[in-house]
């Protein structure tokens, strides 16, 4: 049976060229980068080369790059580390209602510890309401975290504007760029008011379990884990050299081949969108097409259960997602769609399709054909029709 993988916002296939460069580091260059011998020196040298490569791609300094164990870990280190460090200046922190749980639950944990948290609203397109954001800022606001683009809808957020407002108010600004790194060009010299930024390997064709944290020079974090001197004590633990080599290679490929990939993926996503619009009724498009990451299409089939659509698609080899993968074990409707003002019925019937460079037009045509069969079948037995 044909397999069409349309769940690339959940995770991606590891690129062959990435596996190739990593393999040497499991069996040959396996020294501990902290060791004082030739094998350790070699591992350290390669690790620092990878750090330098990532810094160049982001247009920042290599000492501003820290390796972590995941996007979630980078988010936790940035959010809790900044909140604790700057607590003496105030205890008010701000995030949005549509963040990934790595961010939302970090704020919830801080809220339990006594921090005062405000949650910014989004409009019906899932984009931050800047006026609401401005109205939330108080004299004691010390920290703001707003994602670069949403994982469920692909909506791109006005983070440069938000970071400028933060700078003007002496507030530290963090962005979760897990869904944009490698897809949108991020230039930290130009985006000069971003203080902290996180991303993850497995969304850019590197392995799971490797993350990056950018911390601008002059911004300080209180470490939330304790151990050795690794990653200048921001993230103690022996560095995962093979995966660090892998994420640097994957990011380099993504940047070097960006224009070609963007053109290919955007054309297919827009074709998919037009096919959906043309072939289905009782749908709501949750992705703001003109202002979204070009690989994402989130659509609600009104009155239907997202999970039953997903399982039927999966039987035909099509892998998609309802909301974020991390909430697929919960039957709660997506907090992102609810924040956008969608009702429960619409939120429950949402499917997220997320494309990669490996998808072809034939894959999209096959998906549309199967989707037509699936929706007709499920609507026939649905009490909502
Ligand atoms: N932030 C966003 C926006 C994500 O989409 C994800 C993963 O889905 C994460 C953070 C967590 O990254 P990781 O899976 O590397 O912990």
């Amino acid at each position: 049976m044909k397999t069409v993988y349309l769940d690339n916002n959940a995770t991606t296939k590891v690129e062959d060229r990435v596996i190739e460069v990593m393999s040497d580091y499991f069996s040959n260059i396996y020294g501990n980068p902290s060791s004082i011998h030739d094998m350790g020196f070699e591992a350290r040298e390669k690790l620092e080369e990878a750090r330098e490569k990532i810094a160049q791609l982001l247009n920042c300094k290599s000492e501003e790059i820290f390796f972590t164990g995941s996007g979630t870990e980078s988010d936790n280190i940035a959010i809790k580390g900044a909140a604790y460090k700057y607590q003496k200046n105030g205890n008010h922190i701000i995030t949005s209602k549509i963040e990934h749980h790595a961010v939302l639950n970090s704020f919830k944990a801080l809220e339990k510890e006594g921090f005062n948290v405000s949650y910014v609203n989004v409009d019906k397109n899932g984009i931050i309401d800047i006026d609401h954001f401005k109205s939330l800022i108080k004299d004691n606001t010390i920290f703001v975290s707003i994602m670069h683009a949403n994982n469920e809808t692909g909506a791109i957020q006005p983070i440069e504007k938000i970071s400028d407002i933060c700078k003007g108010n002496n507030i530290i600004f963090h962005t979760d760029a897990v869904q944009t790194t490698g897809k949108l060009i991020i230039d930290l010299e130009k985006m000069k008011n971003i203080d902290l930024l996180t991303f993850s390997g497995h969304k850019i064709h590197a392995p799971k379990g490797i993350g990056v944290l950018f911390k601008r020079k002059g911004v300080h974090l209180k470490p939330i884990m304790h151990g050795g001197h690794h990653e200048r004590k921001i993230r103690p633990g022996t560095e995962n050299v093979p995966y660090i080599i892998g994420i640097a290679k994957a990011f380099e490929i993504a940047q070097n081949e960006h224009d070609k990939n963007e053109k290919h993926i955007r054309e297919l996503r827009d074709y998919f969108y037009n096919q959906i619009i043309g072939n289905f009724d009782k749908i709501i498009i949750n992705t703001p097409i003109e202002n979204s990451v070009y690989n994402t299409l989130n659509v609600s089939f009104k009155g239907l259960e997202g999970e039953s659509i997903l399982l039927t698609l999966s039987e035909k080899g099509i892998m998609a997602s309802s909301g974020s993968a991390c909430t697929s074990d919960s039957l709660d409707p997506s907090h992102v769609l609810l924040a956008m003002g969608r009702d429960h019925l619409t939120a429950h019937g949402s499917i997220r399709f997320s494309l990669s460079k490996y998808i072809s037009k034939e894959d999209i045509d096959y998906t549309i054909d199967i989707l037509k069969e699936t929706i007709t079948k499920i609507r026939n037995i649905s009490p909502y029709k």
Side-chain angles (χ1 to χ4, degrees):
M1 186 174 58
K2 188 176 172 68
T3 299
V4 182
Y5 185 77
L6 292 172
D7 201 13
N8 289 279
N9 285 8
T11 197
T12 58
K13 171 185 156 123
V14 181
E15 159 105 35
D16 290 345
R17 286 174 284 175
V18 171
I19 296 175
E20 201 182 308
V21 293
M22 284 190 339
S23 63
D24 227 16
Y25 292 84
F26 291 108
S27 43
N28 292 321
I29 311 170
Y30 57 83
N32 185 323
S34 298
S35 292
I36 313 289
H37 51 61
D38 272 6
M39 283 175 68
F41 298 151
E42 189 179 12
R44 168 63 53 193
E45 190 187 324
K46 299 294 179 192
L47 190 162
E48 295 308 330
E49 275 173 27
R51 196 189 309 277
E52 181 59 42
K53 187 183 282 180
I54 290 176
Q56 274 174 19
L57 295 167
L58 288 171
N59 204 6
C60 65
K61 301 184 188 74
S62 62
E63 64 265 30
E64 295 175 318
I65 297 296
F66 297 81
F67 293 107
T68 72
S70 62
T72 300
E73 199 178 281
S74 295
D75 282 338
N76 272 264
I77 293 171
I79 295 165
K80 294 176 186 166
Y84 296 147
K85 187 74 194 178
Y86 293 94
Q87 196 169 11
K88 58 185 182 308
N89 301 334
N91 82 334
H92 181 233
I93 54 181
I94 303 177
T95 189
S96 81
K97 293 184 176 165
I98 58 158
E99 300 295 315
H100 188 271
H101 283 112
V103 170
L104 273 183
N105 287 339
S106 294
F107 273 79
K108 292 257 154 65
L110 290 169
E111 205 165 13
K112 280 204 186 115
E113 292 174 24
F115 280 89
N116 177 8
V117 180
S118 298
Y119 297 90
V120 190
N121 293 336
V122 293
D123 65 16
K124 64 179 192 326
N125 292 318
I127 304 200
I128 295 292
D129 176 343
I130 293 272
D131 288 335
H132 184 232
F133 170 63
K134 284 186 193 159
S135 76
L136 293 174
I137 295 175
K138 301 192 271 195
D139 288 346
N140 65 343
T141 309
I142 53 162
F143 178 73
V144 170
S145 178
I146 303 287
M147 68 201 322
H148 194 187
N150 183 263
N151 44 302
E152 294 187 32
T153 64
I156 298 173
Q157 306 302 329
I159 56 161
E160 283 193 75
K161 208 183 260 179
I162 293 169
S163 68
D164 293 348
I165 297 169
C166 287
K167 188 72 181 177
N169 287 278
N170 205 18
I171 297 167
I172 301 290
F173 178 71
H174 164 254
T175 189
D176 174 332
V178 167
Q179 293 294 342
T180 52
T181 316
K183 292 181 205 140
L184 307 186
I185 299 295
I186 297 174
D187 181 333
L188 290 167
E189 182 71 40
K190 284 200 190 121
M191 299 160 117
K192 59 183 186 311
N193 292 329
I194 293 177
D195 295 309
L196 298 154
L197 174 143
T198 58
F199 73 95
S200 173
H202 71 108
K203 314 288 182 176
I204 62 166
H205 304 290
K208 296 158 190 64
I210 179 74
V212 166
L213 169 65
F214 157 79
K215 180 180 80 63
R216 197 174 288 281
K217 198 163 177 258
V219 172
H220 301 287
L221 296 177
K222 183 166 190 254
I224 60 166
M225 290 192 293
H226 301 92
H229 287 252
H230 319 91
E231 300 301 291
R232 278 153 293 143
K233 292 190 177 173
I234 291 288
R235 198 279 187 178
T238 304
E239 295 90 345
N240 186 345
V241 181
Y243 283 23
I244 288 171
I245 300 296
I247 196 172
K249 181 71 180 174
F251 193 19
E252 182 182 42
I253 294 171
Q255 295 280 80
N256 288 347
E257 300 174 7
H258 171 269
D259 293 357
K260 182 182 85 182
N261 289 338
E262 170 171 357
K263 184 171 180 296
H264 172 75
I265 299 169
R266 187 185 288 282
E267 274 174 14
L268 286 181
R269 196 277 307 258
D270 291 354
Y271 173 70
F272 192 23
Y273 166 72
N274 285 322
Q275 291 294 313
I276 294 268
I277 294 285
N279 284 290
F280 298 91
D281 53 10
K282 297 186 195 142
I283 54 166
I284 291 184
I285 300 292
N286 298 311
T287 295
I289 297 294
E290 299 302 326
N291 193 11
S292 59
V293 183
Y294 48 81
N295 78 321
T296 306
L297 183 63
N298 186 313
V299 52
S300 288
F301 296 88
K302 283 194 91 168
L304 305 186
E305 273 297 332
E307 280 68 27
S308 50
I309 302 173
L310 280 186
L311 293 174
T312 315
L313 291 178
S314 171
E315 281 167 13
K316 302 282 180 175
I318 298 166
M319 314 298 153
S321 172
S322 64
S324 81
C326 315
T327 56
S328 61
D329 57 354
S330 123
L331 287 177
D332 292 342
S334 147
H335 66 285
V336 176
L337 297 184
L338 294 184
M340 289 162 65
R342 305 290 193 261
D343 57 31
H344 278 239
L345 219 54
T346 306
H348 266 301
S350 81
I351 303 287
R352 177 189 70 187
F353 300 98
S354 45
L355 285 65
S356 75
K357 60 185 175 182
Y358 298 115
I359 291 297
S360 66
K361 180 169 176 296
E362 291 70 47
D363 292 331
I364 299 295
D365 286 334
Y366 175 73
T367 303
I368 289 291
D369 286 346
I370 299 298
L371 203 51
K372 280 191 217 162
E373 271 175 32
T374 304
I375 299 300
T376 309
K377 193 166 113 191
I378 298 177
R379 276 219 193 280
N380 281 340
I381 52 167
S382 162
Y384 296 102
K385 289 283 182 285

